[in-house]
Amino acid sequence: MVLFKTSTKIIQQVEDFFGNVEQGALTFKRGVLNYLDNNRSGFRDNIESIVVFERKADDIRRSVESNLYQRSLLPQHRGDILKLIDSIDDIVDMSKEILFQFDVENPTIPEELHSDYRKLTSVTVSSIENLMHVARLFFTEPSKVRDAVHRVYSCEKEADKLALKIKRNVFSGNLNIDLSEKFHLRYFTLHIENLSDLTEDVADLLNIMAIKRIV
Amino acid sequence: MINRCELFWLFLSGGLLLGVSLGANDAANVFGSAVGTRMLSFRRAAVIASLFVIAGAVIMGEGTSGTIGSLGITVDIINAFVISISAGISIFLMTFINVPVSTSQAVVGAIVGSNIYYGYSTNYTELTSIVISWVTSPVLGAIVAVLLLLIVKYIIRRTRIHLIKLDVILRNLLIVAGAFGAYSLGANNIANVVGVFIPVADIYDIGFLSDTGIPKHYMILLAGGIAIAVGIIFLSKRLMQTVGHNLMPLTPESALVVVLSHSIVLFLFSSVWLRDIVHSIGMPWFPMVPVSSSQVIIGAIVGLSILKRANEINTKRLGVIFSGWIISPPLAAILVYILLRLNQLVF
Protein backbone atom coordinates (compact mmCIF):
# COMPACT_ATOMS: atom_id res chain seq x y z
CA MET A 1 0.00 0.00 0.00
CA VAL A 2 2.85 2.36 0.91
CA LEU A 3 4.56 1.51 -2.38
CA PHE A 4 1.39 2.30 -4.33
CA LYS A 5 1.19 5.73 -2.66
CA THR A 6 4.89 6.37 -3.30
CA SER A 7 4.55 5.35 -6.94
CA THR A 8 1.60 7.75 -7.40
CA LYS A 9 3.70 10.51 -5.83
CA ILE A 10 6.68 9.81 -8.10
CA ILE A 11 4.46 9.67 -11.20
CA GLN A 12 3.12 13.12 -10.25
CA GLN A 13 6.66 14.41 -9.72
CA VAL A 14 7.79 13.11 -13.11
CA GLU A 15 4.75 14.78 -14.71
CA ASP A 16 5.55 18.05 -12.87
CA PHE A 17 9.14 17.77 -14.08
CA PHE A 18 8.08 17.44 -17.72
CA GLY A 19 5.57 20.27 -17.32
CA ASN A 20 8.28 22.43 -15.81
CA VAL A 21 10.65 21.74 -18.71
CA GLU A 22 7.90 22.68 -21.19
CA GLN A 23 7.26 25.93 -19.30
CA GLY A 24 10.99 26.61 -19.26
CA ALA A 25 11.20 26.05 -23.04
CA LEU A 26 8.28 28.42 -23.69
CA THR A 27 9.87 31.03 -21.44
CA PHE A 28 13.13 30.63 -23.38
CA LYS A 29 11.24 31.25 -26.65
CA ARG A 30 9.50 34.33 -25.24
CA GLY A 31 12.84 35.56 -23.90
CA VAL A 32 14.59 35.36 -27.30
CA LEU A 33 11.60 36.95 -29.05
CA ASN A 34 11.46 39.77 -26.47
CA TYR A 35 15.21 40.33 -26.92
CA LEU A 36 14.78 40.56 -30.71
CA ASP A 37 11.82 42.95 -30.23
CA ASN A 38 13.96 44.99 -27.84
CA ASN A 39 11.36 44.48 -25.09
CA ARG A 40 13.85 44.70 -22.20
CA SER A 41 11.38 44.51 -19.32
CA GLY A 42 9.70 41.45 -20.84
CA PHE A 43 13.12 39.88 -21.37
CA ARG A 44 14.08 40.53 -17.71
CA ASP A 45 10.82 38.87 -16.57
CA ASN A 46 11.61 35.85 -18.78
CA ILE A 47 15.07 35.52 -17.22
CA GLU A 48 13.57 35.64 -13.72
CA SER A 49 10.96 33.03 -14.68
CA ILE A 50 13.42 30.61 -16.28
CA VAL A 51 15.62 30.74 -13.16
CA VAL A 52 12.60 29.63 -11.13
CA PHE A 53 11.76 26.82 -13.59
CA GLU A 54 15.38 25.65 -13.65
CA ARG A 55 15.57 25.55 -9.85
CA LYS A 56 12.24 23.75 -9.57
CA ALA A 57 13.33 21.18 -12.18
CA ASP A 58 16.52 20.55 -10.18
CA ASP A 59 14.51 20.06 -6.96
CA ILE A 60 12.11 17.61 -8.60
CA ARG A 61 15.00 15.71 -10.23
CA ARG A 62 16.72 15.25 -6.85
CA SER A 63 13.48 14.15 -5.21
CA VAL A 64 12.69 11.60 -7.96
CA GLU A 65 16.24 10.25 -7.78
CA SER A 66 16.18 9.78 -4.02
CA ASN A 67 12.66 8.29 -4.07
CA LEU A 68 13.55 5.74 -6.74
CA TYR A 69 16.61 4.63 -4.77
CA GLN A 70 15.09 4.73 -1.29
CA ARG A 71 12.06 2.67 -2.33
CA SER A 72 14.15 0.42 -4.63
CA LEU A 73 11.70 1.13 -7.43
CA LEU A 74 12.36 0.23 -11.08
CA PRO A 75 15.60 -1.63 -10.36
CA GLN A 76 16.02 -2.57 -14.02
CA HIS A 77 15.16 0.81 -15.57
CA ARG A 78 16.36 3.08 -12.77
CA GLY A 79 19.77 3.86 -14.28
CA ASP A 80 18.27 4.75 -17.65
CA ILE A 81 15.46 6.82 -16.12
CA LEU A 82 17.82 8.82 -13.96
CA LYS A 83 20.04 9.44 -17.00
CA LEU A 84 16.94 10.55 -18.94
CA ILE A 85 15.85 12.97 -16.22
CA ASP A 86 19.39 14.35 -15.93
CA SER A 87 19.59 14.86 -19.69
CA ILE A 88 16.20 16.59 -19.82
CA ASP A 89 17.25 18.75 -16.89
CA ASP A 90 20.28 19.81 -18.98
CA ILE A 91 17.83 21.25 -21.55
CA VAL A 92 16.38 23.69 -18.99
CA ASP A 93 19.89 24.48 -17.73
CA MET A 94 21.08 25.22 -21.26
CA SER A 95 17.99 27.35 -22.06
CA LYS A 96 18.66 29.42 -18.95
CA GLU A 97 22.36 29.77 -19.84
CA ILE A 98 21.53 31.01 -23.36
CA LEU A 99 19.15 33.68 -22.03
CA PHE A 100 21.87 34.75 -19.56
CA GLN A 101 24.34 34.98 -22.44
CA PHE A 102 21.92 37.22 -24.34
CA ASP A 103 21.61 39.36 -21.21
CA VAL A 104 25.33 39.59 -20.42
CA GLU A 105 26.85 39.75 -23.92
CA ASN A 106 24.02 41.76 -25.47
CA PRO A 107 24.67 40.71 -29.10
CA THR A 108 23.71 43.07 -31.87
CA ILE A 109 21.43 41.19 -34.21
CA PRO A 110 20.75 42.92 -37.55
CA GLU A 111 17.10 43.33 -38.51
CA GLU A 112 17.64 41.14 -41.61
CA LEU A 113 18.37 38.11 -39.39
CA HIS A 114 15.47 38.52 -36.94
CA SER A 115 13.07 36.37 -38.91
CA ASP A 116 15.51 33.45 -39.13
CA TYR A 117 16.41 33.73 -35.43
CA ARG A 118 12.70 33.63 -34.57
CA LYS A 119 12.23 30.55 -36.73
CA LEU A 120 15.34 28.88 -35.26
CA THR A 121 14.09 29.52 -31.73
CA SER A 122 10.55 28.33 -32.52
CA VAL A 123 11.68 25.13 -34.17
CA THR A 124 14.07 24.40 -31.29
CA VAL A 125 11.29 24.86 -28.74
CA SER A 126 9.00 22.64 -30.87
CA SER A 127 11.72 20.02 -30.71
CA ILE A 128 11.67 20.25 -26.88
CA GLU A 129 7.86 20.04 -26.79
CA ASN A 130 7.90 16.96 -29.02
CA LEU A 131 10.61 15.45 -26.86
CA MET A 132 8.43 15.84 -23.74
CA HIS A 133 5.61 14.08 -25.56
CA VAL A 134 7.97 11.19 -26.38
CA ALA A 135 9.23 11.06 -22.78
CA ARG A 136 5.63 10.69 -21.54
CA LEU A 137 4.98 7.97 -24.12
CA PHE A 138 8.01 6.04 -22.88
CA PHE A 139 6.34 5.62 -19.50
CA THR A 140 2.89 4.66 -20.78
CA GLU A 141 3.10 3.46 -24.41
CA PRO A 142 6.69 2.55 -25.24
CA SER A 143 5.66 0.94 -28.54
CA LYS A 144 4.73 4.39 -29.89
CA VAL A 145 8.08 5.99 -29.03
CA ARG A 146 9.77 4.85 -32.24
CA ASP A 147 7.32 6.75 -34.45
CA ALA A 148 6.95 9.78 -32.18
CA VAL A 149 10.68 10.31 -31.90
CA HIS A 150 10.85 11.17 -35.61
CA ARG A 151 9.10 14.47 -34.93
CA VAL A 152 12.01 15.45 -32.68
CA TYR A 153 14.51 14.42 -35.36
CA SER A 154 12.66 16.40 -38.00
CA CYS A 155 12.65 19.57 -35.82
CA GLU A 156 16.34 19.11 -35.13
CA LYS A 157 17.11 18.82 -38.85
CA GLU A 158 15.07 21.95 -39.51
CA ALA A 159 17.02 23.77 -36.77
CA ASP A 160 20.32 22.66 -38.35
CA LYS A 161 19.23 24.02 -41.74
CA LEU A 162 18.14 27.34 -40.25
CA ALA A 163 21.34 27.67 -38.24
CA LEU A 164 23.42 27.03 -41.37
CA LYS A 165 21.38 29.58 -43.28
CA ILE A 166 21.94 32.21 -40.56
CA LYS A 167 25.68 31.49 -40.46
CA ARG A 168 25.92 31.76 -44.27
CA ASN A 169 24.04 35.08 -44.21
CA VAL A 170 26.25 36.41 -41.41
CA PHE A 171 29.46 35.63 -43.29
CA SER A 172 28.14 36.35 -46.80
CA GLY A 173 29.22 39.98 -46.80
CA ASN A 174 25.67 41.30 -47.37
CA LEU A 175 25.53 42.59 -43.81
CA ASN A 176 27.41 45.68 -42.81
CA ILE A 177 28.89 44.36 -39.55
CA ASP A 178 32.40 43.83 -38.12
CA LEU A 179 34.10 40.45 -38.15
CA SER A 180 33.92 40.36 -34.33
CA GLU A 181 30.15 40.82 -34.51
CA LYS A 182 29.95 38.05 -37.10
CA PHE A 183 31.77 35.72 -34.69
CA HIS A 184 29.45 36.84 -31.93
CA LEU A 185 26.36 36.05 -34.02
CA ARG A 186 27.80 32.71 -35.04
CA TYR A 187 28.18 31.75 -31.36
CA PHE A 188 24.61 32.72 -30.55
CA THR A 189 23.35 30.69 -33.51
CA LEU A 190 25.47 27.81 -32.29
CA HIS A 191 24.08 28.08 -28.73
CA ILE A 192 20.49 27.68 -29.94
CA GLU A 193 21.52 24.97 -32.39
CA ASN A 194 23.23 23.08 -29.53
CA LEU A 195 19.94 23.13 -27.65
CA SER A 196 18.18 21.31 -30.50
CA ASP A 197 21.16 18.92 -30.78
CA LEU A 198 20.66 18.09 -27.10
CA THR A 199 17.00 17.20 -27.74
CA GLU A 200 18.18 14.85 -30.49
CA ASP A 201 20.57 13.12 -28.04
CA VAL A 202 17.77 12.68 -25.48
CA ALA A 203 15.47 11.35 -28.23
CA ASP A 204 18.13 8.75 -29.13
CA LEU A 205 18.32 7.75 -25.48
CA LEU A 206 14.50 7.44 -25.29
CA ASN A 207 14.44 5.35 -28.45
CA ILE A 208 16.92 2.84 -26.99
CA MET A 209 15.10 2.81 -23.62
CA ALA A 210 11.80 2.08 -25.36
CA ILE A 211 13.32 -0.79 -27.36
CA LYS A 212 14.67 -2.24 -24.10
CA ARG A 213 11.17 -2.04 -22.60
CA ILE A 214 9.43 -3.63 -25.58
CA VAL A 215 11.84 -6.58 -26.09
CA MET B 1 20.55 -49.64 21.77
CA ILE B 2 18.89 -47.72 18.96
CA ASN B 3 15.10 -48.13 18.91
CA ARG B 4 12.95 -48.44 15.77
CA CYS B 5 11.71 -44.86 16.02
CA GLU B 6 15.27 -43.47 16.10
CA LEU B 7 16.19 -45.86 13.31
CA PHE B 8 13.40 -44.49 11.15
CA TRP B 9 14.50 -40.88 11.62
CA LEU B 10 18.16 -41.82 11.12
CA PHE B 11 17.42 -43.32 7.71
CA LEU B 12 14.86 -40.69 6.78
CA SER B 13 17.71 -38.17 7.20
CA GLY B 14 18.94 -39.37 3.78
CA GLY B 15 15.71 -38.10 2.23
CA LEU B 16 15.73 -34.98 4.38
CA LEU B 17 19.24 -34.11 3.17
CA LEU B 18 17.90 -34.42 -0.35
CA GLY B 19 15.13 -32.03 0.73
CA VAL B 20 17.70 -29.50 2.00
CA SER B 21 19.53 -29.76 -1.34
CA LEU B 22 16.24 -29.32 -3.22
CA GLY B 23 15.40 -26.23 -1.17
CA ALA B 24 18.88 -24.80 -1.75
CA ASN B 25 18.66 -25.27 -5.53
CA ASP B 26 15.02 -25.10 -6.57
CA ALA B 27 13.81 -22.16 -4.49
CA ALA B 28 15.84 -20.05 -6.90
CA ASN B 29 13.44 -21.17 -9.64
CA VAL B 30 10.56 -19.68 -7.71
CA PHE B 31 11.94 -16.44 -6.28
CA GLY B 32 15.27 -16.17 -8.15
CA SER B 33 13.86 -13.82 -10.78
CA ALA B 34 12.34 -11.49 -8.17
CA VAL B 35 15.43 -11.49 -5.94
CA GLY B 36 17.88 -11.46 -8.88
CA THR B 37 16.17 -8.41 -10.40
CA ARG B 38 16.18 -6.80 -6.92
CA MET B 39 12.39 -6.54 -6.83
CA LEU B 40 12.21 -8.55 -3.60
CA SER B 41 14.64 -8.97 -0.69
CA PHE B 42 16.07 -12.44 -0.07
CA ARG B 43 14.80 -12.49 3.53
CA ARG B 44 11.19 -11.87 2.47
CA ALA B 45 11.44 -14.35 -0.38
CA ALA B 46 12.89 -17.06 1.89
CA VAL B 47 10.14 -16.68 4.51
CA ILE B 48 7.31 -16.80 1.93
CA ALA B 49 8.88 -19.71 0.03
CA SER B 50 9.43 -21.74 3.20
CA LEU B 51 5.87 -21.33 4.47
CA PHE B 52 4.27 -22.19 1.14
CA VAL B 53 6.59 -25.08 0.32
CA ILE B 54 5.62 -26.75 3.62
CA ALA B 55 1.92 -26.07 2.96
CA GLY B 56 2.16 -27.56 -0.56
CA ALA B 57 4.04 -30.63 0.67
CA VAL B 58 1.53 -31.43 3.41
CA ILE B 59 -1.72 -30.49 1.64
CA MET B 60 -1.02 -31.76 -1.87
CA GLY B 61 2.12 -33.91 -1.66
CA GLU B 62 0.27 -37.21 -1.53
CA GLY B 63 -0.40 -37.52 -5.28
CA THR B 64 3.17 -37.45 -6.60
CA SER B 65 4.54 -39.30 -3.53
CA GLY B 66 2.17 -42.16 -4.34
CA THR B 67 3.55 -42.36 -7.89
CA ILE B 68 7.18 -42.47 -6.69
CA GLY B 69 6.25 -45.07 -4.07
CA SER B 70 4.63 -47.30 -6.69
CA LEU B 71 7.50 -47.07 -9.20
CA GLY B 72 9.16 -50.14 -7.76
CA ILE B 73 9.42 -52.15 -4.60
CA THR B 74 11.19 -50.42 -1.75
CA VAL B 75 12.51 -53.43 0.15
CA ASP B 76 13.09 -51.73 3.49
CA ILE B 77 14.10 -48.43 5.00
CA ILE B 78 17.80 -49.09 4.31
CA ASN B 79 16.94 -49.47 0.64
CA ALA B 80 14.99 -46.19 0.75
CA PHE B 81 17.99 -44.55 2.48
CA VAL B 82 20.41 -45.83 -0.18
CA ILE B 83 18.12 -44.56 -2.96
CA SER B 84 18.06 -41.08 -1.39
CA ILE B 85 21.80 -41.04 -0.70
CA SER B 86 22.62 -42.19 -4.26
CA ALA B 87 20.37 -39.53 -5.75
CA GLY B 88 22.00 -36.98 -3.41
CA ILE B 89 25.54 -38.04 -4.38
CA SER B 90 24.78 -37.95 -8.10
CA ILE B 91 23.31 -34.43 -7.71
CA PHE B 92 26.41 -33.40 -5.74
CA LEU B 93 28.78 -34.82 -8.39
CA MET B 94 26.95 -33.11 -11.25
CA THR B 95 26.71 -29.83 -9.35
CA PHE B 96 30.45 -30.13 -8.56
CA ILE B 97 31.22 -30.05 -12.30
CA ASN B 98 28.76 -27.14 -12.62
CA VAL B 99 26.01 -29.06 -14.41
CA PRO B 100 22.54 -28.42 -12.96
CA VAL B 101 20.51 -31.61 -12.59
CA SER B 102 16.98 -32.56 -11.71
CA THR B 103 16.32 -34.15 -8.31
CA SER B 104 13.32 -35.98 -9.83
CA GLN B 105 15.50 -37.61 -12.47
CA ALA B 106 18.16 -38.63 -9.95
CA VAL B 107 15.56 -40.17 -7.60
CA VAL B 108 13.79 -42.06 -10.41
CA GLY B 109 17.15 -43.28 -11.76
CA ALA B 110 18.08 -44.50 -8.27
CA ILE B 111 14.74 -46.34 -7.82
CA VAL B 112 15.21 -48.09 -11.17
CA GLY B 113 18.81 -48.98 -10.18
CA SER B 114 17.52 -50.46 -6.91
CA ASN B 115 14.89 -52.51 -8.79
CA ILE B 116 17.58 -53.84 -11.12
CA TYR B 117 19.80 -54.76 -8.16
CA TYR B 118 17.04 -56.68 -6.35
CA GLY B 119 15.70 -58.15 -9.58
CA TYR B 120 12.28 -56.57 -9.10
CA SER B 121 10.36 -55.39 -12.10
CA THR B 122 9.91 -51.66 -12.46
CA ASN B 123 6.37 -50.38 -12.96
CA TYR B 124 6.92 -49.43 -16.59
CA THR B 125 3.55 -47.71 -16.92
CA GLU B 126 4.54 -45.26 -14.17
CA LEU B 127 8.11 -45.03 -15.46
CA THR B 128 6.92 -44.22 -18.97
CA SER B 129 4.56 -41.52 -17.71
CA ILE B 130 7.41 -40.04 -15.63
CA VAL B 131 9.89 -40.08 -18.53
CA ILE B 132 7.27 -38.56 -20.87
CA SER B 133 6.67 -35.85 -18.27
CA TRP B 134 10.39 -34.97 -18.41
CA VAL B 135 9.89 -34.08 -22.06
CA THR B 136 6.36 -32.65 -21.84
CA SER B 137 6.89 -30.48 -18.76
CA PRO B 138 9.54 -28.16 -20.30
CA VAL B 139 7.53 -28.02 -23.56
CA LEU B 140 4.40 -27.20 -21.56
CA GLY B 141 6.42 -24.62 -19.61
CA ALA B 142 7.42 -22.99 -22.92
CA ILE B 143 3.84 -22.97 -24.26
CA VAL B 144 2.34 -21.57 -21.03
CA ALA B 145 5.10 -18.92 -20.84
CA VAL B 146 4.52 -17.77 -24.44
CA LEU B 147 0.74 -17.54 -23.91
CA LEU B 148 1.13 -15.73 -20.59
CA LEU B 149 3.62 -13.22 -22.00
CA LEU B 150 1.29 -12.43 -24.90
CA ILE B 151 -1.56 -11.88 -22.42
CA VAL B 152 0.57 -9.76 -20.07
CA LYS B 153 1.90 -7.63 -22.95
CA TYR B 154 -1.64 -7.18 -24.31
CA ILE B 155 -2.93 -6.05 -20.91
CA ILE B 156 -0.01 -3.64 -20.42
CA ARG B 157 -0.51 -2.20 -23.89
CA ARG B 158 -4.27 -1.82 -23.51
CA THR B 159 -4.23 -0.30 -20.03
CA ARG B 160 -1.35 2.11 -20.83
CA ILE B 161 -0.24 1.68 -17.28
CA HIS B 162 2.57 3.97 -16.13
CA LEU B 163 5.96 2.25 -15.86
CA ILE B 164 6.36 3.19 -12.19
CA LYS B 165 2.90 1.85 -11.27
CA LEU B 166 3.58 -1.25 -13.36
CA ASP B 167 6.75 -1.86 -11.38
CA VAL B 168 4.82 -1.87 -8.10
CA ILE B 169 2.11 -4.15 -9.52
CA LEU B 170 4.70 -6.59 -10.95
CA ARG B 171 6.51 -6.61 -7.62
CA ASN B 172 3.34 -7.68 -5.82
CA LEU B 173 2.41 -10.20 -8.52
CA LEU B 174 5.91 -11.71 -8.28
CA ILE B 175 5.31 -12.32 -4.58
CA VAL B 176 1.93 -13.98 -5.29
CA ALA B 177 3.34 -16.05 -8.19
CA GLY B 178 6.35 -16.98 -6.07
CA ALA B 179 4.13 -18.14 -3.22
CA PHE B 180 2.05 -20.20 -5.68
CA GLY B 181 5.32 -21.54 -7.14
CA ALA B 182 6.63 -22.53 -3.71
CA TYR B 183 3.31 -24.26 -2.94
CA SER B 184 3.44 -26.18 -6.24
CA LEU B 185 7.13 -27.01 -5.68
CA GLY B 186 6.32 -28.46 -2.27
CA ALA B 187 3.32 -30.37 -3.63
CA ASN B 188 5.17 -31.79 -6.62
CA ASN B 189 8.76 -32.30 -5.50
CA ILE B 190 8.12 -33.59 -1.96
CA ALA B 191 7.87 -37.01 -3.65
CA ASN B 192 11.59 -36.81 -4.43
CA VAL B 193 12.38 -36.14 -0.79
CA VAL B 194 10.22 -38.64 1.09
CA GLY B 195 8.32 -40.59 -1.61
CA VAL B 196 10.41 -43.76 -1.18
CA PHE B 197 10.03 -43.70 2.63
CA ILE B 198 6.24 -43.60 2.76
CA PRO B 199 5.64 -47.25 1.66
CA VAL B 200 8.02 -48.59 4.38
CA ALA B 201 6.88 -46.23 7.16
CA ASP B 202 3.93 -48.35 8.30
CA ILE B 203 6.00 -50.77 10.33
CA TYR B 204 7.81 -48.01 12.24
CA ASP B 205 6.72 -45.95 15.19
CA ILE B 206 7.74 -42.50 14.03
CA GLY B 207 7.26 -41.00 17.51
CA PHE B 208 6.71 -37.42 16.35
CA LEU B 209 3.04 -36.53 17.15
CA SER B 210 2.12 -40.19 16.63
CA ASP B 211 -0.54 -40.08 19.37
CA THR B 212 -2.52 -37.33 17.61
CA GLY B 213 -4.10 -39.79 15.18
CA ILE B 214 -2.76 -37.88 12.16
CA PRO B 215 -1.71 -40.40 9.49
CA LYS B 216 2.04 -41.16 9.44
CA HIS B 217 2.56 -40.11 5.86
CA TYR B 218 1.42 -36.56 6.69
CA MET B 219 4.12 -36.37 9.36
CA ILE B 220 6.69 -37.58 6.85
CA LEU B 221 5.47 -35.05 4.28
CA LEU B 222 5.71 -32.33 6.95
CA ALA B 223 9.26 -33.37 7.85
CA GLY B 224 10.21 -33.32 4.16
CA GLY B 225 8.62 -29.88 3.73
CA ILE B 226 10.57 -28.54 6.72
CA ALA B 227 13.80 -29.97 5.23
CA ILE B 228 13.15 -28.10 1.96
CA ALA B 229 12.44 -24.94 3.98
CA VAL B 230 15.77 -25.31 5.83
CA GLY B 231 17.55 -25.53 2.47
CA ILE B 232 15.75 -22.40 1.27
CA ILE B 233 16.52 -20.33 4.36
CA PHE B 234 20.15 -21.30 4.89
CA LEU B 235 21.53 -22.30 1.50
CA SER B 236 19.62 -20.71 -1.38
CA LYS B 237 20.72 -17.08 -1.09
CA ARG B 238 23.64 -17.05 -3.55
CA LEU B 239 21.80 -19.01 -6.24
CA MET B 240 18.65 -16.92 -5.80
CA GLN B 241 20.62 -13.74 -6.38
CA THR B 242 22.24 -15.01 -9.58
CA VAL B 243 19.59 -17.16 -11.28
CA GLY B 244 17.73 -15.61 -14.16
CA HIS B 245 20.89 -14.06 -15.54
CA ASN B 246 22.58 -17.37 -16.36
CA LEU B 247 20.53 -18.33 -19.39
CA MET B 248 19.03 -15.06 -20.63
CA PRO B 249 18.51 -11.58 -19.13
CA LEU B 250 14.88 -11.25 -17.99
CA THR B 251 12.69 -8.16 -17.80
CA PRO B 252 10.36 -7.99 -14.75
CA GLU B 253 7.39 -8.93 -17.00
CA SER B 254 9.27 -11.97 -18.34
CA ALA B 255 10.39 -12.91 -14.83
CA LEU B 256 6.76 -12.91 -13.67
CA VAL B 257 5.71 -15.01 -16.66
CA VAL B 258 8.51 -17.54 -16.09
CA VAL B 259 7.63 -17.99 -12.40
CA LEU B 260 3.91 -18.23 -13.16
CA SER B 261 4.46 -20.82 -15.93
CA HIS B 262 6.60 -22.88 -13.58
CA SER B 263 3.95 -22.72 -10.87
CA ILE B 264 1.10 -23.62 -13.21
CA VAL B 265 2.94 -26.59 -14.77
CA LEU B 266 4.00 -28.01 -11.40
CA PHE B 267 0.46 -27.55 -10.11
CA LEU B 268 -1.00 -29.41 -13.13
CA PHE B 269 1.30 -32.36 -12.43
CA SER B 270 0.39 -32.40 -8.70
CA SER B 271 -3.29 -31.64 -8.27
CA VAL B 272 -5.24 -34.84 -7.63
CA TRP B 273 -8.36 -32.74 -7.20
CA LEU B 274 -8.01 -31.16 -10.66
CA ARG B 275 -7.18 -34.54 -12.21
CA ASP B 276 -10.31 -36.13 -10.68
CA ILE B 277 -12.52 -33.33 -11.98
CA VAL B 278 -11.12 -33.65 -15.52
CA HIS B 279 -11.29 -37.46 -15.40
CA SER B 280 -14.92 -37.27 -14.21
CA ILE B 281 -15.87 -35.64 -17.53
CA GLY B 282 -13.94 -38.30 -19.42
CA MET B 283 -10.97 -36.16 -20.45
CA PRO B 284 -7.32 -37.20 -20.19
CA TRP B 285 -5.11 -35.36 -17.70
CA PHE B 286 -1.49 -35.09 -16.65
CA PRO B 287 -0.04 -37.91 -14.55
CA MET B 288 0.70 -37.17 -10.89
CA VAL B 289 4.47 -37.28 -11.22
CA PRO B 290 7.28 -35.18 -9.76
CA VAL B 291 8.63 -33.05 -12.61
CA SER B 292 11.81 -31.07 -12.58
CA SER B 293 11.29 -27.51 -11.44
CA SER B 294 14.48 -26.43 -13.28
CA GLN B 295 13.43 -28.12 -16.51
CA VAL B 296 10.11 -26.27 -16.51
CA ILE B 297 11.86 -22.94 -15.84
CA ILE B 298 14.35 -23.57 -18.64
CA GLY B 299 11.51 -24.57 -20.97
CA ALA B 300 9.70 -21.33 -20.13
CA ILE B 301 12.82 -19.21 -20.76
CA VAL B 302 13.53 -20.95 -24.07
CA GLY B 303 9.86 -20.39 -25.05
CA LEU B 304 10.19 -16.67 -24.35
CA SER B 305 13.46 -16.43 -26.25
CA ILE B 306 11.81 -18.04 -29.29
CA LEU B 307 8.88 -15.62 -29.01
CA LYS B 308 11.21 -12.64 -28.77
CA ARG B 309 13.53 -14.07 -31.45
CA ALA B 310 16.25 -13.22 -28.96
CA ASN B 311 19.85 -14.10 -29.67
CA GLU B 312 20.76 -13.55 -26.05
CA ILE B 313 20.11 -17.13 -24.96
CA ASN B 314 23.28 -18.89 -23.87
CA THR B 315 23.11 -21.96 -26.14
CA LYS B 316 26.38 -23.41 -24.83
CA ARG B 317 24.98 -23.36 -21.30
CA LEU B 318 21.72 -24.85 -22.58
CA GLY B 319 23.69 -27.74 -24.13
CA VAL B 320 25.42 -28.43 -20.81
CA ILE B 321 22.03 -28.43 -19.03
CA PHE B 322 20.56 -30.89 -21.57
CA SER B 323 23.53 -33.24 -21.20
CA GLY B 324 23.01 -33.15 -17.42
CA TRP B 325 19.40 -34.26 -17.89
CA ILE B 326 20.55 -37.28 -19.91
CA ILE B 327 23.45 -38.30 -17.66
CA SER B 328 21.87 -37.94 -14.19
CA PRO B 329 19.33 -40.85 -14.18
CA PRO B 330 21.84 -43.58 -15.24
CA LEU B 331 24.47 -42.08 -12.92
CA ALA B 332 22.08 -42.38 -9.94
CA ALA B 333 21.12 -45.92 -11.03
CA ILE B 334 24.79 -46.99 -11.18
CA LEU B 335 25.51 -45.39 -7.80
CA VAL B 336 22.60 -47.11 -6.06
CA TYR B 337 23.70 -50.42 -7.54
CA ILE B 338 27.26 -49.94 -6.24
CA LEU B 339 26.09 -48.83 -2.77
CA LEU B 340 23.65 -51.73 -2.40
CA ARG B 341 26.41 -54.14 -3.50
CA LEU B 342 28.78 -52.62 -0.93
CA ASN B 343 26.06 -52.87 1.74
CA GLN B 344 25.67 -56.56 0.91
CA LEU B 345 29.41 -57.17 1.02
CA VAL B 346 30.01 -55.30 4.29
CA PHE B 347 26.91 -56.35 6.28
Side-chain angles (χ1 to χ4, degrees), chain B residues 100 114 122 194 217 235-236 271 291 308 331:
Chain B
S114 155
T122 302
V194 295
H217 68 269
L235 298 167
S236 70
S271 176
V291 291
K308 292 176 177 180
L331 179 67

Side-chain angles (χ1 to χ4, degrees), chain A residues 3-8 10-11 14 68 71-78 81 136 138-141 143-144 212-215, chain B residues 36-39 44 153 156-157 159-169 171-172 245 250-254 308 310 312:
Chain A
L3 267 185
F4 272 106
K5 273 187 187 168
T6 310
S7 68
T8 309
I10 298 174
I11 290 169
V14 170
L68 286 180
R71 299 284 179 188
S72 298
L73 283 165
L74 298 166
Q76 292 224 322
H77 301 286
R78 193 163 50 207
I81 288 173
R136 287 186 177 99
F138 165 75
F139 284 98
T140 53
E141 292 175 275
S143 57
K144 291 188 177 169
K212 275 160 107 178
R213 264 201 79 186
I214 296 164
V215 171
Chain B
T37 55
R38 287 173 286 159
M39 293 194 104
R44 219 170 156 196
K153 291 247 169 200
I156 291 173
R157 210 171 36 243
T159 52
R160 293 179 197 170
I161 192 156
H162 197 283
L163 178 64
I164 298 170
K165 190 73 86 187
L166 179 68
D167 179 73
V168 178
I169 292 170
R171 191 180 292 249
N172 285 292
H245 302 291
L250 293 173
T251 61
E253 293 95 324
S254 308
K308 292 176 177 180
E312 289 166 322

